[in-house]
Amino acid sequence: MGQLELIATSTFGLEAVVKKELQNLGYNDLIVENGKVTFNATEKDIPIVNLWLRSADRVLLKMGEFETTSFEELFEKTKALPWDEWITEDGEFTVEGKSVNSQLYSISDSQAIVKKAVVEKLKTKYNTEWFKETGAKFTIEVSILKDIATLTIDTSGIGLHKRGYRSKSVEAPLKETLAAALVQLSYWNKNRFFIDPFCGSGTIPIEAAMIGKNIAPGLNRNFVSEEWPRIKKEYWYNARRNVWDAMNKDIKLNIIGSDTDKKAIEIAKDNAYNMGVEEDIKFITRDFRNIDFRDDYGIIICNPPYGERIGEKEEVNRIYKDMGKIFRELDTYSIYVLTSNEDFEKLYGKKASRKRKLYNGRIKVDYYQYYGPRPPKKR
């Protein structure tokens, strides 16, 4: 079994989270760049990382990387790569592309050249002039940055944020991958009280429960590379069996999700049920101003309204001011707030211990982190 290079892609700002996840899975010699983490692996690792990565967007198989300034050069260097070792004779493959600050700026032309080069490579392997493309799916991407082309095949299929539990959602939901990252960037652990007072359809509490019970995010979904003959079925079987064995089924979590929207709470309950964590989260319909924050050393992680629409700004400003009045009294709590509102600290009334720039979809947001004291050690 030969060595491969895999790329875990991520939203800008989450590269360090993805790197830590990979290190916890046992991968080292990681190369971190904007929006991606590259690492050495084998075929056995493709199922493992797809099943376990919480904050990555996709896992790509890196086929090659080279400098290119002409379409002829792109064609020849692409054709030289070992596409025939992965793509089957009946494989259905498409080519996607992007180009930034490069002489080959026409994405459609680059895609066509790469498609032609791959076809020519496969012709020599399978000794045929025509391909049915009725078999397994392969999505190739040509990414050209400053005249350096990186060619990959997507091993995930639909994005890794698609866990399979969110059958319904509220308007403008938080991506599961970002929600998981918010939890991992906090001081929360399975022994601490957790509350999201603006939980919407429940994504942050559900992702927290999955982390607390060590439930792999890919547990209930499939991946496009499961149909690739090159990756043995036993690799997927073993990886999925290990996922089930790794779950902390008996652990009791103290998690609350709250929102004023009764419909959102019903959706959140359904989503938690779909993921199998309905007994680990208590969902309540309540304004955050009326919540009784009794537990000491709790963690608040939330994604309150941003006030992006006309007419909402005054209401959102009032929410942030009231959050400050209430949350600042919680001396033992650590509090984490995601918002695009650049006046948040001023409205909240306190400067954050740390502020981290992230992206919620295409919206630039900041993750305001207010650190509380460590809980006393249990005797």
Side-chain angles (χ1 to χ4, degrees):
M1 192 188 308
Q3 281 286 312
L4 312 172
E5 272 192 291
L6 298 179
I7 299 173
T9 66
S10 77
T11 301
F12 287 108
L14 297 186
E15 297 91 348
V17 180
V18 174
K19 177 186 176 183
K20 188 174 181 181
E21 287 185 34
L22 286 165
Q23 287 174 328
N24 290 340
L25 289 170
Y27 301 97
N28 297 300
D29 300 322
L30 308 173
I31 300 172
V32 181
E33 299 170 89
N34 284 340
K36 65 181 183 179
V37 182
T38 304
F39 58 104
N40 293 323
T42 66
E43 291 157 26
K44 280 186 178 180
D45 296 303
I46 290 175
I48 293 169
V49 292
N50 271 295
L51 285 163
W52 278 109
L53 286 177
R54 299 183 187 277
S55 300
D57 291 333
R58 293 178 183 279
V59 178
L60 308 178
L61 169 64
K62 185 176 176 181
M63 296 297 292
E65 189 170 82
F66 49 79
E67 185 176 359
T68 180
T69 56
S70 70
F71 288 126
E72 182 181 1
E73 192 174 29
L74 177 62
F75 176 85
E76 293 298 337
K77 290 182 176 180
T78 298
K79 185 182 174 184
L81 298 176
W83 304 103
D84 53 315
E85 295 179 9
W86 290 92
I87 301 176
T88 54
E89 184 175 358
D90 63 350
E92 177 188 341
F93 71 94
T94 55
V95 180
E96 297 179 352
K98 56 186 177 182
S99 178
V100 179
N101 297 333
S102 299
Q103 293 184 54
L104 300 184
Y105 57 83
S106 172
I107 296 170
S108 59
D109 287 339
S110 296
Q111 288 172 272
I113 292 293
V114 168
K115 175 87 174 182
K116 184 179 178 183
V118 175
V119 168
E120 289 302 314
K121 180 73 171 191
L122 297 180
K123 281 181 180 179
T124 60
K125 163 81 175 203
Y126 299 115
N127 195 27
T128 182
E129 291 293 317
W130 184 72
F131 296 94
K132 294 179 182 178
E133 296 199 50
T134 56
K137 291 180 170 60
F138 301 84
T139 300
I140 297 169
E141 182 181 81
V142 51
S143 174
I144 309 176
L145 174 63
K146 296 180 181 177
D147 296 328
I148 301 297
T150 304
L151 284 100
T152 59
I153 306 177
D154 177 18
T155 73
S156 302
I158 58 173
L160 294 181
H161 70 283
K162 295 282 189 180
R163 318 288 206 216
Y165 65 76
R166 200 155 74 177
S167 54
K168 295 179 183 177
S169 63
V170 296
E171 190 176 348
L174 197 68
K175 263 191 178 181
E176 296 89 331
T177 43
L178 178 55
L182 299 184
V183 177
Q184 292 181 96
L185 287 167
S186 77
Y187 284 148
W188 183 74
N189 63 58
K190 61 183 181 293
N191 301 311
R192 297 183 73 170
F193 170 63
F194 176 102
I195 183 166
D196 176 2
F198 303 92
C199 74
S201 56
T203 308
I204 297 176
I206 291 170
E207 291 294 326
M210 290 166 65
I211 291 169
K213 296 180 82 76
N214 202 34
I215 297 173
L219 175 70
N220 294 333
R221 58 160 287 176
N222 296 110
F223 305 89
V224 70
S225 50
E226 288 184 67
E227 302 303 318
W228 297 0
R230 173 78 182 260
I231 305 173
K232 294 178 181 178
K233 296 293 184 185
E234 69 182 87
Y235 298 163
W236 285 102
Y237 173 81
N238 291 337
R240 288 190 182 277
R241 186 183 61 188
N242 290 337
V243 158
W244 283 101
D245 291 344
M247 272 193 285
N248 295 322
K249 301 180 184 71
D250 300 325
I251 195 167
K252 300 294 182 185
L253 302 174
N254 189 7
I255 298 176
I256 291 178
S258 174
D259 203 281
T260 56
D261 187 338
K262 188 175 181 180
K263 183 179 178 182
I265 290 296
E266 291 305 314
I267 293 171
K269 289 178 180 178
D270 287 344
N271 290 341
Y273 175 82
N274 292 339
M275 196 61 238
V277 294
E278 70 277 8
E279 294 184 5
D280 301 285
I281 309 169
K282 181 180 179 181
F283 286 108
I284 57 175
T285 307
R286 195 167 301 170
D287 190 295
F288 76 96
R289 301 172 183 91
N290 300 321
I291 294 173
D292 188 0
F293 297 94
R294 289 184 181 178
D295 294 78
D296 286 336
Y297 302 99
I299 301 287
I300 296 173
I301 302 178
C302 61
N303 177 40
Y306 298 168
E308 297 286 334
R309 294 179 181 172
I310 297 172
E312 288 183 345
K313 193 166 184 179
E314 284 188 18
E315 171 60 20
V316 167
N317 287 353
R318 189 157 53 247
I319 288 172
Y320 292 168
K321 287 177 182 178
D322 290 345
M323 285 170 63
K325 289 175 187 175
I326 295 167
F327 293 172
R328 287 202 310 272
E329 296 298 314
L330 304 173
D331 295 336
T332 65
Y333 274 62
S334 291
I335 296 156
Y336 303 83
V337 182
L338 186 76
T339 177
S340 66
N341 192 312
E342 294 182 356
D343 294 327
F344 175 77
E345 287 172 310
K346 182 179 176 182
L347 294 163
Y348 186 84
K350 185 179 180 181
K351 188 173 177 61
S353 307
R354 183 176 180 184
K355 185 171 74 170
R356 193 181 195 114
K357 186 173 80 171
L358 299 172
Y359 283 87
N360 182 6
R362 294 186 178 182
I363 302 173
K364 186 184 84 66
V365 291
D366 286 300
Y367 193 37
Y368 295 90
Q369 303 168 64
Y370 295 88
Y371 302 144
R374 290 178 181 272
K377 290 184 179 180
K378 291 183 180 180
R379 294 178 178 239

